[in-house]
Amino acid sequence: MPSTRDIRRRIKSVKNTAQITKAMQLVAAAKMKKAQDQASNGRAYAEMLNKVLVNLKEQAEEGAHPFFSEGKGTKTLILLIASDKGLCGALNTNLFKKLITTQFEGDAEYVTIGKKSVQAINRLRRALLADFPIKDPAHFAEVRAVGRFIQEKFCTGDYKKVFVVFNNFINTVTVVPTVEQLLPVNPVTLGGKRDFAPEIETATATTEYTFEPSAAVVFETVLPQYVNNTIYQMVLESRASEHSSRMVAMKNATDNAKQMIKDLSLEYNKLRQASITNELLEITTAKMALE
Amino acid sequence: MPLKLEIVTPEARIFSDEVDTVVLPGYEGEMGVLPAHSNLVTTLLPGELRITKAGKTTEMAVGEGLVEVTGTVTRILTDAAVDADKIDEKAVEEALERAQKSLAELKPGEQQEEIAAVMAMIQRSTAQLHIKRKRKTV
């Protein structure tokens, strides 16, 4: 049976914890709002660019651009996007689980964004090619460096395909660890909304295009842009997921701490009451003995 | 048959409506698109875009991008699109100045990507200023 002093001490410590998690929850909530807006605003552009290119891929002659066909090599290049910091629930764990359970052709080599992903790749003893630190909020210029690296690697021809493993943001409580094929160009789904997708497919399914000035020039300007932008959008989705998960995790922690304080207070009060009753009892007994 | 025009930037969907005609700065000069235009893909250059709907013309400043034209839909994917009325001349001038300054600081040969980005910024700002000033003189 703990003494009242022990319980008082525990209540105090839990209160402190609750205060910290509450503060973290508020910070995460503020960041979440921004990250979610950024992610959802960019989605329309990224998806439409993807749709247009997938359509063009069908029309373009074989080998119109290296990004439209698989590389000659057998290796697979994987870009892993995770968070820099922890305390965001099972977000990273789920992502790595997804990575481990997914089968890739040939040897896989990794490029990472975020400290947690570097740690994971090292722990799994997989081949790490490069790690790119990206600040929060993410800037396009930083992501462009990642895009350039991946494009250079793919152009060497050693890699058959390039995949991205990231957390796809659906809404605040739903985050889906996702594996998407980045190169060669392939339909990519981002976020939860796909409202404009079918319309595009029907409109251009059977059409042939004139390229102005030529297909090569158009692809040469658009495809690098596409790769960079898609990676950027995926980073934004991951960031939105990270902040949402952290907010939810911290909210749960705060709620649990509050419940614990309630339980402990009840126990404390019971104990206090018990000791008062005991004392009264003793006094009464003593008085009765004197009479 | 109406022509559906969609303009999308990384930040937002700027425009999505049915229009009569649209004139855009394509790779090989200004290009007008009417309904039932043949299928075409071209790159978009920074410049002025004119949308005509029911006799009313709206002007927009656009940045680099991609244009996909089919008979019924014209899709424009660009890094920036601003309505002519909403261009803030002073802010654009400042941005232009900043861009030119950072271009002077960047060494040629290094940081190709950054130079390209700054150049695009300059072109974009110049196009916006051009439209704004043209409107003033009218």
Side-chain angles (χ1 to χ4, degrees):
Chain A
M1 189 89 180
S3 70
T4 48
R5 216 179 68 193
D6 287 341
I7 294 179
R8 262 211 309 271
R9 205 184 283 150
R10 273 190 72 193
I11 290 176
K12 215 173 144 192
S13 110
V14 173
K15 249 185 199 155
N16 280 336
T17 314
Q19 226 162 34
I20 293 167
T21 54
K22 178 88 190 170
M24 287 180 76
Q25 180 196 332
L26 291 177
V27 171
K31 284 188 178 169
M32 176 185 83
K33 182 82 190 44
K34 262 190 218 151
Q36 284 183 2
D37 286 348
Q38 226 185 346
S40 56
N41 286 344
R43 236 175 244 162
Y45 183 82
E47 287 232 21
M48 197 174 278
L49 191 54
N50 180 259
K51 287 281 164 339
V52 170
L53 285 175
V54 168
N55 269 323
L56 291 183
K57 184 190 173 189
E58 312 259 304
Q59 316 293 327
E61 301 141 47
E62 195 63 28
H65 195 279
F67 290 175
F68 280 146
S69 39
E70 290 178 359
K72 287 185 198 73
T74 51
K75 286 191 281 187
T76 304
L77 189 65
I78 298 163
L79 173 65
L80 179 62
I81 307 175
S83 68
D84 272 336
K85 290 172 192 152
L87 286 182
C88 44
L91 182 77
N92 290 323
T93 322
N94 287 343
L95 185 70
F96 301 147
K97 240 185 233 161
K98 174 88 187 168
L99 175 74
I100 293 166
T101 51
T102 311
Q103 292 290 321
F104 296 104
E105 295 171 57
D107 291 336
E109 291 185 334
Y110 294 83
V111 176
T112 56
I113 292 176
K115 281 179 194 145
K116 291 284 164 191
S117 52
V118 187
Q119 288 167 6
I121 293 299
N122 285 338
R123 241 192 337 259
L124 294 168
R125 303 195 185 287
R126 306 271 174 95
L128 177 66
L129 288 183
D131 167 48
F132 291 92
I134 300 233
K135 287 196 200 88
D136 190 23
H139 289 292
F140 190 69
E142 294 171 306
V143 177
R144 205 154 39 201
V146 185
R148 192 171 44 198
F149 182 82
I150 286 176
Q151 287 171 46
E152 276 168 13
K153 282 285 167 198
F154 188 71
C155 285
T156 59
D158 291 348
Y159 302 93
K160 196 170 179 188
K161 286 175 181 173
V162 180
F163 287 94
V164 185
V165 182
F166 68 108
N167 282 306
N168 208 352
F169 175 78
I170 309 291
N171 58 41
T172 308
V173 283
T174 322
V175 168
V176 182
T178 310
V179 181
E180 290 278 14
Q181 182 182 320
L182 182 67
L183 289 173
V185 175
N186 190 55
V188 170
T189 315
L190 293 163
K193 289 186 205 134
R194 297 200 65 189
D195 44 353
F196 50 84
E199 171 203 348
I200 292 175
E201 272 154 24
T202 50
T204 53
T206 54
T207 47
E208 255 182 49
Y209 290 94
T210 318
F211 289 95
E212 202 173 284
S214 68
V217 173
V218 172
F219 291 148
E220 204 54 54
T221 39
V222 173
L223 281 170
Q225 188 66 35
Y226 161 75
V227 173
N228 291 343
N229 192 71
T230 307
I231 296 174
Y232 182 57
Q233 186 61 34
M234 285 165 170
V235 171
L236 292 185
E237 299 282 342
S238 294
R239 283 285 148 85
S241 311
E242 180 193 339
H243 292 309
S244 312
S245 302
R246 181 164 299 131
M247 212 262 314
V248 172
M250 287 303 122
K251 189 171 184 319
N252 287 340
T254 314
D255 290 349
N256 287 344
K258 284 206 177 123
Q259 185 59 45
M260 209 166 162
I261 292 171
K262 220 170 146 191
D263 292 349
L264 284 172
S265 303
L266 185 68
E267 201 182 328
Y268 171 75
N269 285 337
K270 267 187 194 160
L271 214 62
R272 193 175 54 103
Q273 193 58 54
S275 72
I276 291 170
T277 319
N278 236 345
E279 241 167 74
L280 279 177
L281 215 65
E282 270 165 29
I283 293 168
T284 344
T285 336
K287 205 181 162 212
M288 273 168 76
L290 282 176
E291 275 165 12
Chain B
M1 192 167 70
L3 176 72
K4 192 162 164 35
L5 176 70
E6 283 185 57
I7 304 178
V8 186
T9 70
E11 279 86 38
R13 186 182 295 255
I14 303 282
F15 190 93
S16 178
D17 198 5
E18 282 175 354
V19 298
D20 296 330
T21 166
V22 54
V23 178
L24 49 91
Y27 186 88
E28 290 178 340
E30 270 208 341
M31 185 178 85
V33 180
L34 286 163
H37 192 286
S38 70
N39 300 324
L40 176 91
V41 174
T42 186
T43 51
L44 186 75
L45 295 181
E48 180 186 337
L49 182 116
R50 286 193 301 278
I51 302 161
T52 311
K53 191 190 177 177
K56 246 176 68 186
T57 304
T58 340
E59 287 170 323
M60 268 190 187
V62 291
E64 284 180 321
L66 175 75
V67 184
E68 186 206 21
V69 181
T70 65
T72 48
V73 192
T74 299
R75 266 184 282 273
I76 299 177
L77 296 147
T78 175
D79 49 10
V82 192
D83 212 309
D85 298 328
K86 287 182 195 144
I87 297 173
D88 181 351
E89 200 174 343
K90 212 169 159 203
V92 176
E93 263 171 11
E94 276 166 17
L96 184 61
E97 211 166 280
R98 262 204 313 278
Q100 271 160 349
K101 211 165 141 194
S102 58
L103 185 66
E105 280 164 13
L106 289 169
K107 290 180 198 112
E110 286 173 42
Q111 301 156 306
Q112 285 289 334
E113 298 262 330
E114 251 134 81
I115 291 177
V118 174
M119 288 297 276
M121 180 75 206
I122 290 177
Q123 283 178 331
R124 221 161 39 221
S125 309
T126 321
Q128 289 188 9
L129 280 181
H130 187 73
I131 291 177
K132 194 75 187 173
R133 290 194 179 135
K134 194 185 82 185
R135 292 191 124 210
K136 263 190 194 162
T137 54
V138 172

